[in-house]
Amino acid sequence: MADFPDSGERPGWFVVLPDCASAARTEAALRSRAVQEVSHPSGRPWLLGDWSAHAMTVGEAGLVKVAVVGEHAVTADRLTTAADRIRTIADLDELVRGMAGSFHLVASVTGRVRVQGSVSGLRRVFHARIGDATVAADRADVLAALLDAAVDEQRLAARLLNPCAPHPLAGLPVWRGVSALETGHCLALDADGRGRTVAWWAPPEPVVPMAEGAPALREALSAAVEVRTRGRELVSCDLGGLDSTSVCALAARGRAKVIAYTADGLDPLCDDVTWARRTVAGLGDVEHHVIAGERLPMVYEGLQDLDDRFDEPCPAAMHPSRCLLVPRLAAARGSRLHLTGFGGDELLAGSPAHLHTLMRTRPRTAWQRVRGFAAQGPWPYRETLRQLWDTSDYRQWLVRAGDELTAVPPPFETPALDWGTPPRLPPWATPDAVDAVRELIRTAARTTEPLAQRRGPHVELEAVGANSRMVRQVGQMAARAGLTLAAPYYDDRVIEAGLAVRPQDRITPWQYKPLIVEAMRGIVPAESLTRHTKDEGSYEAEMGMREQRAELLALCEDSRLARLGLIDADVLREMSSRPLPPALPFDALYQTVACEMWLRTPDTAATTAPG
């Protein structure tokens, strides 16, 4: 693999202080590390941190100040106009709902503060009580450093769950004393430095027919891409599946030169390159680069070279070299913005769990869909009926999940009509880790609410959150190459447009992602819209485990997870020295490797966060 230089850039960060004297302790701790500062209208410090020159836009009118950080098209003049109309922090709702892109919004309104990120979780907000004031930040490790906080071993143990920890455990910071906002919530800080979370968003009712929903998605996705490409001479794109193909085609409609990259997988069934070449032929002026399979780093390759300090364990850490190859190539070609199709699967393929509700509202349509999915699975008849007729709420499902942490993982053919895939701890988890995770799940089950009242939207939003958190960290890695990684499918407006479409129109066993197909007619070449295949990655994962077995076994030596008593290193070593047993899914190691690598990364690596 080519040796790519590090651009010297580091992930940006910012801290939000309330407008009160009790925030002085945090301000003092930040002074030695913060590079930029924005004050409250009162003159007190408000935003401190280290962000790129063009990342933040600020508008001010009287005692109101509004800042937007991220990928957006809002101007300082527009924010100033908006600030002039704002009287309370609740008035920010209208401004937010009219903005395209992906961003944090922070407002100081007559001594009170509102902080929010994105619905997807790509832009997260963390908060902690430091002294007598609640402060917020876009990185958990920044607050952990201010608190001198230790790792929360119980929460870390939950990160060993496969395929991932369930809501609300998945989004919990792994630092003691640090909290995070849940989906659709903002943080309100009063004039005395007290904080409370406020719900401002809920998923739309899925009632929009395809004839209306497809144009709405086209408009939202077009705006999301245009926000990123406006004013640029050159941008780069992934060009693989239908999701990234759509983003690439939208980018090609703009004025920027588009450079597309397609990775030719080692799996002989992978057909990304074939379809990408057809797309490029149809689009015309797109510079296309195909990366040969033998050039692609293996899964688990480069583990010993990872020095990015994430603020939570990141599954992308299991193949850092693979994640960064395309961004590095794009940066070397001159791109400073790289568009991806991340997020499309969760939004466009959708979840069959919608059929649980549809069976009760439109049973005839639901039965047709169930038969189709069951035939493709194939889904066992008895388990399909059990899930369809089951009326358990989310809390009951969580309790069952906690009881079954060490059971054999459900077979691949298990129907997907429940509140989610029951998570499992790996065989190398210690009894103490099992007890800790079970206690955490049972405690959460007493009070937690699902992300949506029905199974389908809940499953989709949970998947959006889980995957966007990984993409957030990959974006941090890409920043070191001097590149912004943009994922338009995770924008609030795009998510709203997709989730609003009726499930019977959006989710069908007989057509691949019908919503994006209808939305992209006339934009994506017609032949490319006929694609119904997707590379799912298991071939590369199994090849990587064989080829990189030495790197995996090295993680068992002086394992940090074993030091904490969360895994049995001998069991992990024995199972990593041979192919995983058939009962374990191919990605069973992912979460463990992510947690181990996170614990091994030096605190000083790749971050300028205060410490």
Side-chain angles (χ1 to χ4, degrees):
M1 177 178 166
D3 184 22
F4 295 95
D6 191 315
S7 73
E9 296 190 27
R10 293 294 179 263
W13 58 274
F14 64 86
V15 173
V16 184
L17 303 180
D19 192 2
C20 60
S22 57
R25 170 183 165 183
T26 304
E27 174 199 348
L30 287 168
R31 283 294 178 195
S32 63
R33 297 298 184 99
V35 176
Q36 286 104 328
E37 177 181 338
V38 180
S39 63
H40 284 283
S42 67
R44 288 193 179 101
W46 178 36
L47 305 171
L48 292 96
D50 184 7
W51 53 84
S52 62
H54 305 293
M56 183 178 294
T57 304
V58 182
E60 180 177 13
L63 296 178
V64 177
K65 212 165 188 176
V66 182
V68 181
V69 190
E71 301 156 23
H72 58 87
V74 68
T75 63
D77 287 345
R78 181 183 170 190
L79 287 182
T80 297
T81 300
D84 192 45
R85 297 195 301 264
I86 291 169
R87 300 293 177 266
T88 70
I89 59 174
D91 296 338
L92 273 297
D93 285 1
E94 182 180 356
L95 174 64
V96 171
R97 296 184 193 282
M99 291 175 58
S102 174
F103 49 84
H104 286 91
L105 182 139
V106 191
S108 179
V109 182
T110 62
R112 287 162 173 77
V113 175
R114 171 169 168 166
V115 192
Q116 70 184 67
S118 59
V119 167
S120 68
L122 189 65
R123 306 273 176 176
R124 301 199 71 193
V125 175
F126 303 93
H127 55 98
R129 190 75 177 174
I130 301 178
D132 294 326
T134 297
V135 301
D138 67 332
R139 288 183 61 112
D141 55 350
V142 172
L143 296 181
L146 290 169
L147 287 166
D148 194 22
V151 171
D152 188 311
E153 296 171 10
Q154 187 177 31
R155 291 182 178 182
L156 183 62
R159 297 300 183 100
L160 297 174
L161 287 165
N162 190 67
C164 65
H167 165 76
L169 277 60
L172 294 177
V174 289
W175 305 95
R176 295 176 185 170
V178 181
S179 302
L181 293 184
E182 291 189 8
T183 298
H185 287 70
C186 64
L187 179 68
L189 305 176
D190 67 19
D192 294 320
R194 292 185 295 263
R196 63 188 176 91
T197 60
V198 180
W200 74 272
W201 183 89
E205 285 295 314
V207 295
V208 177
M210 180 69 79
E212 298 175 22
L217 178 64
R218 177 168 59 246
E219 180 180 352
L221 191 59
S222 298
V225 172
E226 201 271 339
V227 158
R228 274 85 172 190
T229 60
R230 179 185 302 169
R232 296 181 183 270
E233 295 182 1
L234 183 151
V235 298
S236 54
C237 299
D238 289 334
L239 182 55
L242 188 54
D243 307 334
S244 58
T245 295
S246 300
V247 170
C248 183
L250 286 169
R253 302 178 85 199
R255 295 182 179 181
K257 171 70 175 177
V258 175
I259 306 169
Y261 291 87
T262 304
D264 189 6
L266 295 174
D267 189 340
L269 297 179
C270 178
D271 55 358
D272 281 354
V273 171
T274 299
W275 285 99
R277 286 178 171 148
R278 292 172 184 171
T279 298
V280 170
L283 291 176
D285 189 23
V286 170
E287 182 182 315
H288 188 212
H289 297 271
V290 174
I291 305 169
E294 57 269 18
R295 284 193 65 194
L296 281 174
M298 290 283 185
V299 176
Y300 303 120
E301 184 175 339
L303 294 179
Q304 304 305 319
D305 300 326
L306 183 69
D307 64 352
D308 287 88
R309 181 52 171 166
F310 304 123
D311 62 355
E312 64 178 337
C314 174
M318 67 194 175
H319 48 197
S321 301
R322 190 179 184 89
C323 284
L324 284 176
L325 180 59
V326 169
R328 284 169 168 167
L329 288 170
R333 177 61 181 80
S335 176
R336 293 296 171 263
L337 179 105
H338 187 76
L339 292 157
T340 79
F342 287 127
D345 283 340
E346 303 95 286
L347 190 64
L348 303 172
S351 170
H354 279 283
L355 298 176
H356 185 272
T357 300
L358 200 63
M359 184 63 72
R360 288 148 179 81
T361 58
R362 301 188 62 173
R364 185 170 183 176
T365 301
W367 268 122
Q368 292 173 337
R369 299 291 195 275
V370 168
R371 283 171 164 168
F373 281 114
Q376 290 178 3
W379 289 352
Y381 180 75
R382 180 171 296 179
E383 178 61 15
T384 299
L385 290 179
R386 187 199 68 76
Q387 291 189 19
L388 277 175
W389 303 134
D390 176 64
T391 58
S392 300
D393 61 22
Y394 185 63
R395 294 179 184 178
Q396 292 169 319
W397 181 87
L398 265 183
V399 170
R400 288 202 307 270
D403 292 341
E404 298 171 356
L405 292 178
T406 58
V408 175
F412 180 77
E413 299 80 11
T414 299
L417 303 168
D418 216 329
W419 286 101
T421 301
R424 298 289 189 262
L425 282 168
W428 44 86
T430 63
D432 285 346
V434 174
D435 290 343
V437 175
R438 184 167 287 140
E439 179 187 10
L440 201 60
I441 290 177
R442 288 173 175 171
T443 300
R446 297 188 191 114
T447 58
T448 196
E449 296 292 337
L451 295 168
Q453 293 306 307
R454 292 184 287 271
R455 295 183 181 190
H458 168 85
V459 171
E460 289 167 349
L461 284 171
E462 187 169 35
V464 165
N467 291 321
S468 68
R469 285 191 293 273
M470 182 191 72
V471 175
R472 171 176 173 262
Q473 308 288 9
V474 174
Q476 174 182 316
M477 296 164 67
R480 298 184 64 180
L483 196 72
T484 296
L485 190 74
Y489 287 106
Y490 287 133
D491 288 8
D492 290 1
R493 305 290 83 77
V494 177
I495 288 174
E496 289 168 349
L499 295 183
V501 177
R502 299 185 307 191
Q504 61 265 37
D505 294 343
R506 182 164 59 96
I507 303 161
T508 168
W510 301 294
Q511 187 179 359
Y512 185 64
K513 298 182 178 178
L515 177 56
I516 196 66
V517 170
E518 292 302 317
M520 291 294 107
R521 291 198 187 281
I523 296 175
V524 171
E527 184 180 12
S528 298
L529 291 176
T530 65
R531 184 177 182 182
H532 60 274
T533 59
K534 177 181 173 61
D535 182 27
E536 49 85 41
S538 61
Y539 185 90
E540 279 81 1
E542 295 193 12
M543 285 281 292
M545 187 172 181
R546 289 198 296 270
E547 297 292 332
Q548 305 301 317
R549 199 174 302 280
E551 289 213 41
L552 285 173
L553 290 173
L555 295 182
C556 301
E557 304 304 321
D558 193 24
S559 164
R560 308 311 192 262
L561 287 168
R563 283 190 200 173
L564 295 176
L566 300 181
I567 70 166
D568 184 324
D570 292 334
V571 175
L572 178 60
R573 183 184 299 106
E574 194 275 331
M575 298 196 77
S576 298
S577 65
R578 54 184 173 82
L580 292 176
L584 280 182
F586 74 88
D587 56 354
L589 272 169
Y590 285 5
Q591 309 300 337
T592 301
V593 171
C595 291
E596 182 67 34
M597 293 306 303
W598 184 75
L599 289 170
R600 284 173 180 253
T601 306
D603 290 345
T604 56
T607 180
T608 54

